[in-house]
Amino acid sequence: MLITTVVLFSTCALAIWPLPQNYTHGTTVLWLSPDVQIDYQLASSSPWYAFLLRTWNTRQAPAYSTGNQTGDSHPIVQAAIQRTKNTLFSENFVPWKFHPRNSDFEPAVNGSKTYIKTIALQQTQACNGLNGSLIDGGADESYSITVSEAGEATITAQSSASILWGLETLTQLFYTHSRRGEGVYTPLAPIKITDAPKFAHRGLNLDIARNYYEPADIKRTIDALAWNKFNRLHLHATDAQSWPLEIPSLPELAAKGAYRAGYSYSPDDLQDIQKYGLDRGVEVIIEIDMPGHTASVALSYPELITAFNVQPNWNNYSAEPPSGELKLNSTAVYMFLEKLFQDLLPRLKPYSGYFHSGGDEVNVNAYLLDETVRSNTSSVIQPLLQTFVDRVHRSIRAANLVPIVWEEMLLDWNLTLGNDVIIQTWRSDQAVADTVAKGYKTLAGNYNYWYLDCGHGQWLDSLPSSSQTPFPYLDYCSPLKNWRQIYSYNPLSLVPANATHLVLGAEVHLWSEQTDPVNLDPMLWPRAAAAGEVLWAGARDEQGRNRSQVEASPRLAEMRERMVLRGVRAGPVQMVFCTQNGTQCAL
């Protein structure tokens, strides 16, 4: 049988995002039809398989065949196969933006076609738990793809998560033909890909307290994270401004702390979001920031909060209005936290291995107004804070979760933390280096590179009587971090070679002072995708150089097109002139 070959514009030759470790391809065209069979093979002895059947035992398996596995096949992979087919045949695109204007780049359709009849999915090893949670060192997320010129296609992977990543990469090898009904094709056979991530923790921190997001918004974000091979969504669930997380044993927290009725997340909502994430290889981690950033607690339990909503000089007591922090030496506070944790943490455990207890931006002046402290002296506050964190972390460990804290607890307050605690840094590369120098595992995410909310201007209003001169009204972390700046960030920049194993990964951040459901997608995408490639492929190439923007730009632009067609309103990377003309938009 004759195989049609075409030589494509160079940008389509390596259009995978994030960049795989190794990728070779040819120029032979292969076609896919909707009746392609996807066969999934998993050793029946896998303990992960048995775990998933227990976890999803209340959910009905998808009603479709996956080759030699039918009703009892792995539910995560079952669902991923269905999504893969939908992406290939219903959400694919014609890549005209990535070829010279009016060029004839598509394969001929009036001759014989070679079809891929079967895609074999082979999972070779069992996993050890929830998407290879970092508790046990992480799952093996490596995978390989081979597609022969004859149309034989195989994805081989170690875990269910890596099967998902392999399927995602597979979808990016195919395009829709512009002639209606001709189907989808890859012009790149034979194909060989071997791939694995650089970092185990590849996350987004999304603030859902300062503005409310419907569960559907969060789920859409999880989808986009999975397409970019992120595996963690950190939900900053409560803050000074609102408490949208419903706690049945403390019902007034959300009833009075949410912005309005209906702007809260029920236990069922939270469970649904976490299950949705795991189904896509994304572990959802919940943060309740404390002892700072807790003013919203005062709306239901005013006796627990000091310096609540001090006006007009709130900035003496907090980083943002309203001011208010949990009292540090209060039996009532500890009783409240015990009840909170007894309710919440057991509900999180089936779907996550972590709980983030916050700890950033503690304002010492608030404790001048705390009758249990009456001091803003660090030497007085530090031992009280040590006791506070010790008690919080004991509760987290009792629920078989691993504590995560912001860097200030270690680097500013010099607390003694358990060696299981993960330190999340945000202020500098030096903070990452200082954390690993103390022997702690850490997450990077320097705000000078990876704060997506930065550069949109000051969100505070300036009073006419203000002595400050804020013009041109920049925010504290301006300028805006465009995708190129995000792409240039190296989480390991100051980390010695013998300590890089302590950098588990990093998170890109979106705080919600000026973001809500209307602009969520373009605030995140495609800029967050640039962080995704850094976390998957590393910030440096094999020669130790910064990765090329010229090489990355058309790949990211193509990924943006795919995301838009899949329902995410990602912003453009470049104008069409640039994507159609190779390197003409480079200097």
Side-chain angles (χ1 to χ4, degrees), residues 8 12 29-34 84-99 105-107 109 113 170-187 558 561-562 565-566:
L8 289 183
C12 285
V29 174
L30 295 175
W31 296 82
L32 269 181
S33 66
T84 298
K85 286 190 171 185
N86 188 63
T87 299
L88 286 167
F89 302 110
S90 300
E91 299 173 335
N92 216 325
F93 79 111
V94 178
W96 64 269
K97 291 183 181 180
F98 303 94
H99 298 273
F105 62 87
E106 292 181 298
V109 296
K113 296 178 180 178
L170 182 76
T171 65
Q172 295 181 32
L173 299 171
F174 289 88
Y175 304 93
T176 293
H177 200 283
S178 61
R179 185 177 294 183
R180 190 177 184 86
E182 292 297 339
V184 301
Y185 66 93
T186 179
E558 182 168 314
E561 296 298 313
R562 294 184 183 276
L565 282 166
R566 295 169 81 172

Side-chain angles (χ1 to χ4, degrees), residues 182-232:
E182 292 297 339
V184 301
Y185 66 93
T186 179
L188 303 171
I191 299 163
K192 184 173 179 57
I193 295 171
T194 57
D195 201 9
K198 172 75 171 179
F199 293 101
H201 186 115
R202 307 179 301 279
L204 164 69
N205 170 31
L206 177 62
D207 169 16
I208 60 172
R210 289 180 175 87
N211 270 314
Y212 175 77
Y213 300 93
E214 293 284 350
D217 298 317
I218 299 172
K219 289 180 177 180
R220 188 177 65 256
T221 300
I222 289 172
D223 286 332
L225 288 170
W227 304 336
N228 288 277
K229 298 187 176 69
F230 286 87
N231 64 353
R232 302 290 187 267

Side-chain angles (χ1 to χ4, degrees), residues 325-378:
E325 301 186 1
L326 284 171
K327 295 176 180 178
L328 267 189
N329 196 21
S330 165
T331 301
V333 166
Y334 288 129
M335 292 175 63
F336 164 81
L337 291 176
E338 183 178 357
K339 193 169 187 178
L340 170 67
F341 291 145
Q342 286 177 347
D343 187 319
L344 177 63
L345 299 186
R347 293 191 277 113
L348 302 181
K349 174 56 185 172
Y351 313 107
S352 179
Y354 308 90
F355 182 77
H356 200 310
S357 61
D360 63 319
E361 298 180 329
V362 174
N363 190 303
V364 295
N365 290 333
Y367 294 106
L368 285 169
L369 307 182
D370 179 354
E371 73 278 5
T372 73
V373 179
R374 294 295 186 193
S375 176
N376 65 350
T377 303
S378 295

Side-chain angles (χ1 to χ4, degrees), residues 144-460:
S144 64
I145 298 176
T146 59
V147 181
S148 72
E149 286 185 317
E152 299 165 335
T154 302
I155 298 176
T156 303
Q158 307 297 316
S159 66
S160 58
S162 49
I163 288 280
L164 267 58
W165 308 146
L167 287 169
E168 179 56 43
T169 297
L170 182 76
T171 65
Q172 295 181 32
L173 299 171
F174 289 88
Y175 304 93
T176 293
H177 200 283
S178 61
R179 185 177 294 183
R180 190 177 184 86
E182 292 297 339
V184 301
Y185 66 93
T186 179
L188 303 171
I191 299 163
K192 184 173 179 57
I193 295 171
T194 57
D195 201 9
K198 172 75 171 179
F199 293 101
H201 186 115
R202 307 179 301 279
L204 164 69
N205 170 31
L206 177 62
D207 169 16
I208 60 172
R210 289 180 175 87
N211 270 314
Y212 175 77
Y213 300 93
E214 293 284 350
D217 298 317
I218 299 172
K219 289 180 177 180
R220 188 177 65 256
T221 300
I222 289 172
D223 286 332
L225 288 170
W227 304 336
N228 288 277
K229 298 187 176 69
F230 286 87
N231 64 353
R232 302 290 187 267
L233 173 59
H234 163 189
L235 292 179
H236 182 84
T238 64
D239 212 292
Q241 293 78 16
S242 85
W243 185 291
L245 198 61
E246 294 181 19
I247 307 296
S249 64
L250 298 163
E252 289 193 342
L253 268 177
K256 296 182 178 180
Y259 282 129
R260 61 171 296 178
Y263 273 45
S264 61
Y265 305 99
S266 70
D268 286 345
D269 290 333
L270 185 56
Q271 181 187 60
D272 187 45
I273 288 167
Q274 290 196 288
K275 282 185 176 182
Y276 191 90
L278 281 187
D279 224 11
R280 289 151 179 77
V282 177
E283 182 175 347
V284 178
I285 298 170
I286 300 300
E287 177 191 357
I288 294 183
D289 205 349
M290 62 184 77
H293 292 272
T294 49
S296 58
V297 173
L299 299 173
S300 51
Y301 299 96
E303 71 278 8
L304 305 181
I305 299 297
T306 183
F308 174 61
N309 199 22
V310 175
Q311 292 292 343
N313 298 318
W314 56 264
N315 56 311
N316 292 330
Y317 299 94
S318 62
E320 294 182 359
S323 61
E325 301 186 1
L326 284 171
K327 295 176 180 178
L328 267 189
N329 196 21
S330 165
T331 301
V333 166
Y334 288 129
M335 292 175 63
F336 164 81
L337 291 176
E338 183 178 357
K339 193 169 187 178
L340 170 67
F341 291 145
Q342 286 177 347
D343 187 319
L344 177 63
L345 299 186
R347 293 191 277 113
L348 302 181
K349 174 56 185 172
Y351 313 107
S352 179
Y354 308 90
F355 182 77
H356 200 310
S357 61
D360 63 319
E361 298 180 329
V362 174
N363 190 303
V364 295
N365 290 333
Y367 294 106
L368 285 169
L369 307 182
D370 179 354
E371 73 278 5
T372 73
V373 179
R374 294 295 186 193
S375 176
N376 65 350
T377 303
S378 295
S379 60
V380 173
I381 294 171
Q382 197 272 354
L384 296 173
L385 192 58
Q386 179 74 64
T387 300
F388 180 91
V389 172
D390 285 346
R391 293 186 66 153
V392 168
H393 286 186
R394 277 199 300 271
S395 295
I396 295 170
R397 293 187 187 98
N400 293 314
L401 296 166
V402 171
I404 305 175
V405 297
W406 291 108
E407 65 176 70
E408 289 95 319
M409 293 293 95
L410 178 70
L411 301 181
D412 291 2
W413 291 99
N414 196 30
L415 298 190
T416 300
L417 300 170
N419 58 16
D420 60 332
V421 177
I422 297 170
I423 312 300
Q424 182 160 25
T425 63
W426 64 277
R427 292 181 296 184
S428 67
D429 291 348
Q430 188 61 50
V432 180
D434 292 344
T435 298
V436 300
K438 293 175 179 287
Y440 286 95
K441 293 172 286 187
T442 189
L443 301 174
N446 188 331
Y447 81 99
N448 291 295
Y449 296 85
W450 278 19
Y451 267 31
L452 300 178
D453 52 297
C454 293
H456 291 274
Q458 180 173 294
W459 54 269
L460 291 167

